[in-house]
Amino acid sequence: MEKKTQLHLIGNAHLDPVWLWQWQEGYAEIKATFRSALDRIKEFPDFIFTCACAAYYQWIEENTPEMFAEIQQRVAEGRWVIVGGWWIQPDCNLPSGESFARQGLYSQRYFLKKFGVMANVGYNVDSFGHHGMLPQILKKSGLDYYVFQRPNIKEKDLENSLFWWESEDGTRVMTFRLPTGYTDQGPARMEERILKHMALAENEGNPVMSFYGVGNHGGGPTIAALHKLGELQEKYGEDSLVFSSPNAFFTDVEQQNLDIPTLKEDLQLHAIGCYSAHSETKAYNRKAEHRLLTAEKFSALTHHLLALPYPQEKLQHAWQLVMFNQFHDIMGGCSIKEAYEDSRESYGEALNISAVALNAALQKISWSIDTMLPEVKSLSKENDWMLWEQADLGIPLVVFNPLSWEVNAPIYLTTELTSITDETQQPIVSQTIRASRTNGRNDKWGSMFIGRIPAMGYRVYWISKKKTQEKALPTAALAVSSTLLENDFIRVEFDPHNGSIVKLWDKRLERDIFNGKGAVAQIIDEYDSDTWSHELRAFPNLIGQFTDAKFRILEQGPLRTGIRITSRYNQSVLQQDFFLYHDRADLEVKVQLDWREKHKMLKLAFPINTEQPEATYEIPYGYMVRPGDGEEKPGQQWVDISEANVDGDKPKYGFALLNDSKYAYDVNGHILRMTVARGAIFADHFGYHHGSRDDLCEYMDQGIQEFKYTMVPHEGTWQEAQIVKKAYELNVPPITIIETYHQGALPQKMEGIHIANDGIIATVFKKAEDGNGYVLRCYESSGFKTNTTIEIPFLNRRWTATFGKCEIVTFLITDDVTQPVRELNLLEM
């Protein structure tokens, strides 16, 4: 007899640790739900419980150790199945690639240590969309399979609920979309649900998972539900309905060797408002991710060079705080207002931990640099402080670069200087800028200069408030007026009424960059949208824009010029400081927004003058080309619009938009828009349908927020323009330490890493989790298979590595230099 197609009955409890409640309530509910699941295991011999999220297990271990021991026993028996392999179920679009790597690294190692097993099924059944590089990240985290629910069948048409999901590098994982959610609707409707799932299994010709259990606020499978499922087993046969787990389901599918389709794209769209809701959380997340990576790099470097203890446990704790805040209902901006007070506190803790670790490392390095110039050494012999004062040799300034390539970047100081020289005593051009203070009669000025800082290294400069110097000024022309900025590369003209850009002219190619007004601050009506923007795919309802612009020239120096444009809409104020440097076509913008709108959205619009425009978005550890259909889509640090095909000898042209804290964009043909702020109600779930809104509602994004963005017009492709690196440079600027004169073992200039290929980005340098050596993680960012040499001079290591297209590669560099550098997975195994 032919075997019947099975339904795998998956007993689970979807647990939102934060949503319409704070984490303290979620903590309590997780304990109650786990207790209930353990009781059901005792009462029903066939029942199997499935649960993800290492954070929940850690809470139980710390607060209820006796229950934790009971769970360990049930896991060993196979009655309690651990899935997911991540700290929580995060938003699967907005965290960085490295955040997803850490979700697996810390969680899988925790599960292995505490339970002797690791998850092999990725499990994000409630996340609001899933970026296209996840298959590689999952696979390299020990997760061969994936379960999700959103986008649902109304939001994305799939050929089959079971399919191979493939990322750009070619990695694929077997993936299943839940047909009707992760909770049941009570015993009375259970048979109806089961029949739908059985029909789906027959139609597709493959087994289907049928989830049951009370969820969101926890609860799990009930006694009544389990009795009802027992009755349905008797009615339809135990071969058709089997108490099971996702692990058993995928094992069953693999054994049947089914022919299933392959999908190579994002899994979108659901809850498009969550890409931009609650700007503060998004900004904290970006800042914390980068600061942690920077702290790890210099802590590891200092540990090796100067034996400073590496703060591994503290940094791991900080990562756990960040990962928890990446829970989809927190980072998605759809939790209650009180939850964001908690989020602010824990992000602050993570930022402080990483700041303390970073400061300790940088201070240790700077204190160990030999800052005794020959002139200093000669004066020190005299021991005459009058001579020191008269000589005015300057103060050592150590500038650190966390990135894996040499940067040519602005360096900002809070003091007005008259002289800057490098370690060879060559003069450096500086410019006076306005400082943030107003101290006394005229103490309100700072300085900036352009520094060239080695990759993952540092360089010493010498600064003085009194010493004068002869310095060659830049030959590039800089011009500024109240409505114009110009250098040798571009000319920018502003609308005197609304402050938008009326002309952005590329002087190199003699072409308009915009096809219409650019950087237009558009107001979008979204009264008919809730916090999530359920059932929407775009925000087309343009109702106005900022206007009544006021102009002020901020700077007019040899290195850059700047204009402040302040415009208004109702009670909201948009202040944008536009800066143009002497040596680049990039137009940098520093924004302060005082947002007072409700049920409205602010977008900045850029109409790019391109033929056959192609939109490329940065996604975690990769990129995705998407159609310019006007739909709201998630992106990371940059989005680029370039010409897809150009006939003849005409060069390709493009425009990239970089930012330091935004994640939502739409592209409609050649028009790129970035979402800046929303005046949505906190946790407003279909409020416009239910009539539950009133004048006591609380609105998000009200008040002042600050961020930066940069416009980068470029010839050629985004890869040739090195847009990935430019975006990192905006997000990870150099760091300065002012030092004194002292002897030391370190030189005044040091390069920490050298990678021969521009497309390879090193994001991670840290101590290995097992303590033996160091871990370096790189990814191929441009979409080309390549070989490259990598050198870490202070470790005396140099090797050749091969990267596939968009491949993430993790290297173990042991303390034993006779051992070769070898590749690991994301779990460092």
Side-chain angles (χ1 to χ4, degrees):
M1 179 182 294
E2 184 180 350
K3 181 180 178 182
K4 295 180 180 179
T5 301
Q6 290 183 329
L7 286 192
H8 289 254
L9 304 175
I10 311 299
N12 81 109
H14 180 65
L15 294 156
D16 286 332
V18 177
W19 180 29
L20 305 180
W21 45 86
Q22 293 174 261
W23 67 267
Q24 296 90 341
E25 185 175 339
Y27 192 115
E29 185 55 39
I30 284 165
K31 289 192 294 183
T33 298
F34 278 20
R35 181 67 266 159
S36 174
L38 289 167
D39 291 344
R40 301 297 83 76
I41 288 173
K42 290 179 183 178
E43 298 161 354
F44 294 86
D46 293 333
F47 170 60
I48 298 170
F49 185 64
T50 292
C51 188
C53 304
Y56 307 164
Y57 292 87
Q58 187 186 69
W59 283 352
I60 298 296
E61 180 186 18
E62 293 172 350
N63 196 256
T64 317
E66 66 281 1
M67 191 192 305
F68 190 77
E70 194 174 346
I71 294 171
Q72 288 176 312
Q73 177 187 344
R74 294 306 189 184
V75 170
E77 295 171 356
R79 302 286 306 283
W80 184 300
V81 177
I82 293 172
V83 293
W86 286 1
W87 202 246
I88 38 78
Q89 292 187 47
D91 182 283
C92 288
N93 281 310
L94 308 187
S96 68
E98 187 54 31
S99 287
F100 288 104
R102 298 307 171 100
Q103 291 278 352
L105 173 67
Y106 297 130
S107 304
Q108 291 281 53
R109 283 177 164 265
Y110 175 83
F111 287 137
L112 184 61
K113 180 180 180 180
K114 301 298 181 179
F115 299 98
V117 299
M118 291 193 298
N120 68 353
V121 177
Y123 184 97
N124 290 299
V125 298
D126 197 27
S127 299
F128 303 151
H130 311 261
H131 71 83
M133 282 298 289
L134 267 182
Q136 181 182 178
I137 293 171
L138 291 164
K139 195 81 170 182
K140 291 191 173 185
S141 301
L143 301 163
D144 297 324
Y145 312 103
Y146 195 55
V147 182
F148 76 103
Q149 177 195 184
R150 299 189 175 101
N152 60 37
I153 57 175
K154 294 181 180 179
E155 295 163 331
K156 186 175 182 65
D157 184 35
L158 293 176
E159 184 179 345
N160 207 70
S161 60
L162 180 68
F163 58 95
W164 291 108
W165 187 23
E166 186 174 317
S167 53
E168 192 66 28
D169 69 301
T171 302
R172 64 181 193 172
V173 292
M174 187 178 288
T175 301
F176 181 79
R177 179 170 70 181
L178 301 182
T180 54
Y182 48 74
T183 61
D184 60 52
Q185 296 173 310
R189 301 191 61 181
M190 193 163 281
E191 184 169 9
E192 174 188 349
R193 181 185 178 91
I194 290 295
L195 289 173
K196 285 183 180 179
H197 294 173
M198 291 177 70
L200 178 65
E202 291 294 335
N203 182 58
E204 294 187 343
N206 53 251
V208 164
M209 279 191 277
S210 182
F211 276 47
Y212 68 97
V214 179
N216 291 333
H217 199 258
T222 63
I223 294 173
L226 286 165
H227 280 306
K228 182 63 177 180
L229 287 172
E231 294 174 8
L232 294 174
Q233 275 188 318
E234 293 181 5
K235 183 174 182 179
Y236 296 106
E238 292 186 359
D239 287 340
S240 295
L241 305 178
V242 178
F243 288 103
S244 186
S245 69
N247 297 24
F249 167 80
F250 284 112
T251 298
D252 182 19
V253 170
E254 291 269 32
Q255 290 174 348
Q256 294 187 41
N257 195 27
L258 299 171
D259 182 20
I260 59 176
T262 298
L263 184 71
K264 190 174 181 178
E265 59 185 63
D266 285 326
L267 296 173
Q268 314 289 10
L269 294 164
H270 177 86
I272 62 172
C274 290
Y275 311 149
S276 53
H278 207 266
S279 296
E280 181 188 77
T281 299
K282 270 77 169 172
Y284 275 138
N285 180 74
R286 182 83 62 83
K287 185 176 183 179
E289 289 174 330
H290 282 305
R291 185 178 292 176
L292 274 166
L293 291 172
T294 298
E296 286 179 340
K297 289 173 185 175
F298 285 111
S299 293
L301 188 151
T302 313
H303 175 74
H304 181 82
L305 292 177
L306 303 166
L308 183 72
Y310 185 80
Q312 190 147 350
E313 291 185 4
K314 291 180 179 179
L315 291 173
Q316 179 173 336
H317 175 63
W319 271 112
Q320 289 171 353
L321 293 167
V322 172
M323 291 188 301
F324 185 85
N325 279 324
Q326 290 169 345
F327 181 70
H328 54 270
D329 284 324
I330 301 175
M331 193 166 184
C334 51
S335 293
I336 58 174
K337 181 180 179 182
E338 294 82 354
Y340 292 103
E341 297 172 6
D342 298 331
S343 174
R344 187 178 302 117
E345 290 175 356
S346 55
Y347 268 126
E349 183 179 356
L351 285 163
N352 185 64
I353 289 170
S354 51
V356 169
L358 176 60
N359 180 68
L362 299 186
Q363 296 273 3
K364 185 74 172 179
I365 292 172
S366 66
W367 188 253
S368 302
I369 296 171
D370 187 352
T371 57
M372 300 292 282
L373 292 170
E375 296 90 336
V376 175
K377 291 178 181 178
S378 64
L379 287 174
S380 64
K381 294 177 183 178
E382 301 290 336
N383 198 27
D384 187 337
W385 297 102
M386 288 283 287
L387 292 175
W388 283 65
E389 181 71 19
Q390 292 170 2
D392 189 23
L393 298 174
I395 301 169
L397 172 75
V398 188
V399 184
F400 295 88
N401 170 24
L403 299 171
S404 62
W405 57 91
E406 181 183 76
V407 300
N408 192 37
I411 312 297
Y412 301 98
L413 297 168
T414 58
T415 303
E416 185 177 11
L417 305 174
T418 60
S419 170
I420 302 176
T421 58
D422 64 16
E423 78 286 354
T424 67
Q425 297 303 292
Q426 291 298 309
I428 305 295
V429 177
S430 64
Q431 178 173 319
T432 297
I433 61 174
R434 186 66 160 86
S436 60
R437 70 184 180 281
T438 304
N439 180 37
R441 181 181 300 174
N442 200 35
D443 184 16
K444 59 183 179 181
W445 303 106
S447 300
M448 62 89 59
F449 66 98
I450 305 296
R452 189 174 291 277
I453 318 301
M456 210 173 79
Y458 63 82
R459 187 175 188 180
V460 177
Y461 291 89
W462 298 81
I463 61 176
S464 175
K465 299 181 183 179
K466 301 176 181 178
K467 183 179 179 181
T468 59
Q469 68 182 34
E470 294 292 331
K471 50 193 176 184
L473 296 177
T475 58
L478 276 172
V480 61
S481 70
S482 61
T483 59
L484 177 142
L485 293 171
E486 185 174 8
N487 64 9
D488 286 347
F489 305 94
I490 63 172
R491 177 184 175 91
V492 192
E493 299 175 14
F494 296 92
D495 186 304
H497 301 292
N498 59 38
S500 62
I501 298 174
V502 293
K503 191 177 188 65
L504 185 56
W505 178 254
D506 191 321
K507 299 166 71 173
R508 301 163 297 181
L509 297 179
E510 296 188 344
R511 65 177 289 166
D512 280 312
I513 298 167
F514 290 156
N515 183 14
K517 292 184 179 181
V520 179
Q522 297 182 343
I523 303 297
I524 312 298
D525 176 71
E526 55 163 340
Y527 184 84
D528 292 337
S529 169
D530 62 8
T531 311
W532 291 255
S533 300
H534 283 119
E535 300 177 347
L536 297 180
R537 300 184 74 88
F539 298 107
N541 300 325
L542 177 63
I543 59 171
Q545 67 180 64
F546 276 75
T547 187
D548 189 25
K550 300 293 186 291
F551 291 76
R552 178 172 183 173
I553 296 175
L554 287 179
E555 296 178 20
Q556 188 172 7
L559 298 177
R560 73 177 187 185
T561 57
I563 295 176
R564 171 167 293 175
I565 304 176
T566 305
S567 54
R568 298 177 181 275
Y569 178 86
N570 291 342
Q571 299 303 308
S572 298
V573 180
L574 176 64
Q575 176 183 290
Q576 299 192 86
D577 296 345
F578 292 84
F579 294 105
L580 186 62
Y581 293 81
H582 75 96
D583 60 349
R584 61 200 73 180
D586 308 351
L587 184 59
E588 181 183 288
V589 190
K590 180 181 178 182
V591 181
Q592 184 185 87
L593 170 68
D594 188 357
W595 184 244
R596 301 292 173 180
E597 308 308 312
K598 298 176 180 179
H599 299 300
K600 295 183 181 70
M601 169 184 285
L602 172 60
K603 281 181 172 283
L604 291 172
F606 306 85
I608 318 304
N609 181 24
T610 55
E611 299 177 10
Q612 301 182 46
E614 181 177 78
T616 305
Y617 296 70
E618 184 187 38
I619 64 174
Y621 272 150
Y623 64 88
M624 182 67 63
V625 177
R626 295 170 174 153
D629 53 13
E631 294 184 344
E632 189 86 345
K633 293 183 172 70
Q636 299 253 314
Q637 299 175 142
W638 59 270
V639 173
D640 182 84
I641 306 292
S642 291
E643 291 167 327
N645 297 290
V646 178
D647 296 330
D649 296 330
K650 186 178 178 182
K652 285 188 176 181
Y653 198 84
F655 175 91
L657 185 67
L658 326 176
N659 78 86
D660 70 351
S661 59
K662 303 301 175 183
Y663 295 89
Y665 312 84
D666 69 78
V667 177
N668 193 349
H670 68 283
I671 300 174
L672 164 64
R673 299 194 302 178
M674 177 174 69
T675 305
V676 171
R678 296 183 64 204
I681 298 171
F682 281 95
D684 175 30
H685 199 276
F686 289 106
Y688 60 96
H689 283 331
H690 300 152
S692 56
R693 294 173 175 172
D694 58 26
D695 59 358
L696 298 180
C697 287
E698 297 267 14
Y699 292 82
M700 63 180 65
D701 275 10
Q702 302 298 292
I704 292 176
Q705 60 169 284
E706 296 181 343
F707 67 96
K708 292 180 181 179
Y709 70 92
T710 302
M711 293 171 262
V712 185
H714 60 84
E715 184 179 352
T717 66
W718 60 266
Q719 293 97 329
E720 293 167 334
Q722 298 194 18
I723 295 304
V724 175
K725 287 186 174 181
K726 284 180 177 287
Y728 273 105
E729 289 170 16
L730 177 65
N731 281 268
V732 188
I735 309 164
T736 59
I737 297 283
I738 293 179
E739 263 301 339
T740 59
Y741 304 117
H742 46 65
Q743 294 181 338
L746 297 181
Q748 292 184 19
K749 184 178 180 182
M750 193 193 88
E751 180 182 56
I753 192 171
H754 179 76
I755 301 175
N757 188 290
D758 283 335
I760 304 301
I761 306 295
T763 52
V764 176
F765 181 72
K766 60 186 279 292
K767 278 289 287 180
E769 292 299 305
D770 292 334
N772 179 23
Y774 301 88
V775 163
L776 177 73
R777 183 148 40 249
C778 306
Y779 76 103
E780 197 290 309
S781 65
S782 299
F784 302 106
K785 184 177 180 179
T786 186
N787 296 318
T788 190
T789 57
I790 301 174
E791 184 176 5
I792 303 182
F794 65 89
L795 294 180
N796 195 27
R797 293 291 195 131
R798 186 177 188 274
W799 69 99
T800 300
T802 299
F803 288 79
K805 177 183 179 181
C806 299
E807 184 180 7
I808 308 161
V809 181
T810 303
F811 300 100
L812 175 65
I813 309 160
T814 63
D815 294 322
D816 184 354
V817 295
T818 66
Q819 296 296 312
V821 174
R822 61 188 179 92
E823 293 184 16
L824 305 174
N825 62 17
L826 293 176
L827 306 181
E828 299 182 20
M829 294 179 179

